[in-house]
């Protein structure tokens, strides 16, 4: 049973560029959340997708957008990259049923470096 | 506003001794509490959670945590530490049934010395 997968593993971009990160949820999961984890800090919630809609959003600007596909996979897009966007981006999946108390399963993350 | 505090950046314990990693939280509704562990170059792994019921919850790898409502704490414990327990530990909270956002602490580095 495949867990949560993310691609790419690492990415280097320059300021002002755009980036797309991809996530495939754990088999049977229908809800995907995205987090940003800066070095030495805990993850920060970006948003959560369910039924192809953004269900809740954290305190991130509109430069951060996402999408969920019918097969439950998801993309995170970041436009107009800033140096401060350099971080580990984590994708997590879970089951909608009992979503408030179901644990999330995390992928290994995508390390984004903005130069 | 929701928040989680892990007051210790690092905890050092000798192998075989009991360990405690502290977590306190602040939410307006019912807290749903979680502990995760992060190993180097690996994703976050779920350890245990408190939703309701017994204040002492047991999880993976022999870890347990005690929910204390009056002290708004959810400390992670293990009776006998292993060197392999060395990792970064995160406490997280969700505020109630209708909030899907997980709020995370800054993490505590646990070092178990042989």
């Amino acid at each position: 049973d495949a867990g949560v997968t993310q691609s790419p593993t690492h990415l280097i971009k320059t300021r002002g560029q755009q980036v797309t990160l991809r996530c495939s949820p754990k088999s049977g999961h229908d809800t995907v959340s995205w987090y940003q984890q800066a070095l030495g800090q805990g993850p920060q919630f970006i948003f959560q997708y369910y039924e192809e809609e953004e269900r809740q959003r954290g305190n991130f600007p509109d430069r951060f957008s996402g999408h969920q596909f019918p097969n439950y996979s998801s993309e995170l897009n970041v436009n107009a990259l800033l140096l401060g966007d350099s971080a580990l981006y984590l994708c997590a999946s879970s089951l909608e049923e009992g979503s408030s108390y179901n644990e999330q399963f995390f992928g290994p993350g995508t390390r984004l470096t903005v130069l | 506003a929701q928040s989680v505090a892990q007051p210790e950046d690092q905890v050092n314990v000798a192998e075989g001794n009991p360990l405690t990693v502290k977590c306190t939280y602040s939410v307006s509704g019912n807290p749903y509490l979680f502990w995760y562990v992060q190993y180097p170059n690996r994703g976050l792994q779920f350890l245990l959670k408190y939703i309701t019921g017994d204040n002492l919850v047991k999880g993976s790898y022999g870890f347990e945590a005690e929910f204390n409502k009056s002290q708004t704490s959810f400390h992670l414990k293990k009776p006998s530490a292993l060197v392999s327990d060395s990792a970064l530990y995160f406490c997280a909270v969700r505020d109630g049934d209708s909030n899907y956002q997980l709020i995370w602490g800054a993490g505590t580095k646990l070092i178990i010395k042989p």
Side-chain angles (χ1 to χ4, degrees):
Chain A
D1 177 22
V4 180
T5 60
Q6 292 185 245
S7 62
T9 306
H10 297 86
L11 205 51
I12 299 175
K13 293 286 188 178
T14 56
R15 282 177 297 174
Q17 284 189 313
Q18 178 265 343
V19 68
T20 297
L21 311 182
R22 295 176 176 82
C23 171
S24 291
K26 180 179 170 64
S27 177
H29 285 184
D30 55 6
T31 302
V32 173
S33 302
W34 286 93
Y35 295 86
Q36 180 194 68
Q37 186 178 17
L39 203 59
Q41 297 182 23
Q44 299 290 317
F45 176 78
I46 303 175
F47 40 54
Q48 185 180 87
Y49 275 83
Y50 172 66
E51 290 188 335
E52 302 180 45
E53 296 287 335
E54 181 184 295
R55 176 157 69 176
Q56 188 170 3
R57 187 180 187 91
N59 188 26
F60 278 80
D62 292 344
R63 297 188 297 109
F64 290 77
S65 64
H67 188 79
Q68 186 180 33
F69 299 93
N71 67 353
Y72 308 122
S73 67
S74 177
E75 289 182 349
L76 165 65
N77 301 292
V78 187
N79 294 323
L81 284 167
L82 304 174
L83 296 179
D85 294 332
S86 295
L88 181 67
Y89 288 84
L90 296 167
C91 171
S93 72
S94 56
L95 273 171
E96 159 60 12
E97 186 177 351
S99 59
S100 294
Y101 50 83
N102 281 339
E103 59 269 28
Q104 295 181 348
F105 289 77
F106 284 80
T110 294
R111 174 72 63 186
L112 173 64
T113 302
V114 182
L115 302 176
Chain B
Q2 308 168 68
S3 65
V4 175
Q6 294 182 241
E8 302 152 318
D9 291 337
Q10 183 169 308
V11 171
N12 298 296
V13 178
E15 186 177 27
N17 283 0
L19 69 87
T20 299
V21 182
K22 295 180 180 177
C23 171
T24 59
Y25 65 91
S26 174
V27 298
S28 56
N30 290 322
Y32 295 164
L33 294 150
F34 302 81
W35 275 101
Y36 284 81
V37 59
Q38 189 173 38
Y39 297 99
N41 301 317
R42 293 171 64 178
L44 288 154
Q45 296 179 31
F46 168 77
L47 279 179
L48 50 79
K49 65 183 177 183
Y50 172 82
I51 303 303
T52 187
D54 194 348
N55 289 343
L56 183 66
V57 293
K58 295 185 182 296
S60 306
Y61 312 120
F63 284 93
E64 58 188 29
E66 186 168 11
F67 171 65
N68 188 316
K69 187 174 182 178
S70 62
Q71 297 186 5
T72 62
S73 67
F74 189 56
H75 301 331
L76 181 69
K77 300 180 180 183
K78 187 174 182 180
S80 179
L82 300 173
V83 173
S84 57
D85 293 331
S86 299
L88 191 56
Y89 290 79
F90 290 96
C91 180
V93 68
R94 182 177 285 126
D95 187 355
D97 294 334
S98 60
N99 191 338
Y100 305 103
Q101 179 174 204
L102 266 179
I103 302 299
W104 297 75
T108 298
K109 186 175 184 179
L110 178 63
I111 297 177
I112 309 300
K113 298 182 179 180

